[in-house]
Amino acid sequence: MVLGIYPQHSKRFLRSLIKERLLEAKHSGPRLCIDLSMTNHMSKKELSRLAGQIRRLYGSNKKADRPFWIYLTGFTTDSPLYEECLRMNDGFSSYLLDRTEEDCFSLFPLETLVYLTPDSEHALENVDLNKVYILGGLVDESIQKKVTFQKAQEHSVKTARLPIQEYMVKCQNGKNYHSEILTINQVFDILSTYFETQNWPEALKKGVSSRKGYVLQNSVE
């Protein structure tokens, strides 16, 4: 974490360091696209939650030693989501990321895209600098079953899920509740931690709370 490593430095120095790392990521870092083309039918409450998740995701990325370069695609400046992002997220208009009305499928070569969706059969094995990873900007995909998976299939784009089943086990809880559906900022925290540590258990622990009904395999042995 940047702030933890340099407590003696001024805020101005830290800001310039963060800016330098983010701009470096634009040229040589891993790429993450947040697909915001599905927000048309969201309620004001859902848009607020999504705007909050974007804020937390960007905040995590700023603190990362090896940040991603973020694209907000399908994102129009006259949309309710844009207004909500401006309202809720201090300094949103100066975030160091790409905003575009273009769809992620027309912005990049299709063979470089990997849509991250819990419905995929393929577990993500690593973070590849030659790929562009897509997160669907949905607040609760459990209500809209397989939306992102179907969207990826329609465009013949590869899909992957986080390797929760490979490294975690279901734990007993009162409601017998088990879910692999995470918010976009939780998924990002996992990707970012994995990219820095190359350690899936450590990364998954960061983003999958026991409230989801999963714990790391070695924690129940």
Side-chain angles (χ1 to χ4, degrees):
M1 293 296 182
V2 172
L3 298 178
I5 297 171
Y6 304 101
Q8 74 276 26
H9 291 310
S10 69
K11 285 185 178 178
R12 184 184 294 174
F13 174 82
L14 286 173
R15 275 200 300 271
S16 67
L17 182 67
I18 288 166
K19 184 176 181 180
E20 189 180 308
R21 283 184 175 171
L22 286 171
L23 292 176
E24 196 177 305
K26 183 173 187 175
H27 299 291
S28 58
R31 294 170 293 171
L32 182 78
C33 176
I34 303 171
D35 177 6
L36 298 173
S37 63
M38 299 171 282
T39 59
N40 298 346
H41 305 295
M42 283 188 182
S43 67
K44 178 85 164 25
K45 186 178 178 182
E46 288 173 324
L47 290 171
S48 294
R49 284 175 61 193
L50 183 56
Q53 290 173 22
I54 291 170
R55 182 184 68 232
R56 286 191 287 275
L57 186 154
Y58 183 73
S60 289
N61 197 42
K62 281 203 315 182
K63 293 176 186 171
D65 288 335
R66 302 173 71 193
F68 282 60
W69 184 250
I70 309 287
Y71 300 84
L72 303 180
T73 61
F75 192 47
T76 55
T77 51
D78 60 354
S79 65
L81 177 63
Y82 185 82
E83 289 173 24
E84 200 61 16
C85 284
L86 282 178
R87 186 183 73 81
M88 288 185 61
N89 304 349
D90 190 34
F92 177 74
S93 56
S94 57
Y95 276 14
L96 285 172
L97 44 70
D98 277 333
R99 304 170 188 77
T100 176
E101 297 182 10
E102 265 194 272
D103 195 282
C104 52
F105 301 108
S106 58
L107 199 58
F108 307 100
L110 293 180
E111 65 272 13
T112 66
L113 298 176
V114 180
Y115 213 122
L116 297 174
T117 166
D119 298 302
S120 178
E121 294 176 3
H122 309 289
L124 187 66
E125 293 180 7
N126 55 29
V127 173
D128 184 343
L129 291 171
N130 297 313
K131 299 292 185 187
V132 180
Y133 297 94
I134 308 170
L135 294 179
L138 291 170
V139 172
D140 189 354
E141 198 177 335
S142 61
I143 296 168
Q144 307 168 64
K145 295 283 187 189
K146 296 197 173 183
V147 173
T148 51
F149 181 71
Q150 286 166 355
K151 194 171 184 190
Q153 283 198 315
E154 282 166 18
H155 291 87
S156 303
V157 161
K158 286 180 181 173
T159 61
R161 57 175 172 77
L162 293 172
I164 294 173
Q165 298 167 21
E166 283 70 22
Y167 292 97
M168 305 188 91
V169 291
K170 290 180 179 179
C171 61
Q172 286 188 321
N173 53 39
K175 297 178 181 176
N176 195 29
Y177 172 76
H178 304 93
S179 174
E180 294 182 41
I181 295 170
L182 306 172
T183 62
I184 57 171
N185 55 292
Q186 287 169 332
V187 176
F188 176 74
D189 285 345
I190 293 168
L191 290 177
S192 179
T193 304
Y194 176 77
F195 187 61
E196 289 190 11
T197 64
Q198 300 294 301
N199 183 312
W200 277 119
E202 190 176 328
L204 291 163
K205 190 177 179 182
K206 182 94 182 231
V208 184
S209 76
S210 57
R211 291 194 303 276
K212 290 286 180 182
Y214 284 91
V215 292
L216 289 173
Q217 288 176 2
N218 59 6
S219 63
V220 291
E221 285 172 4

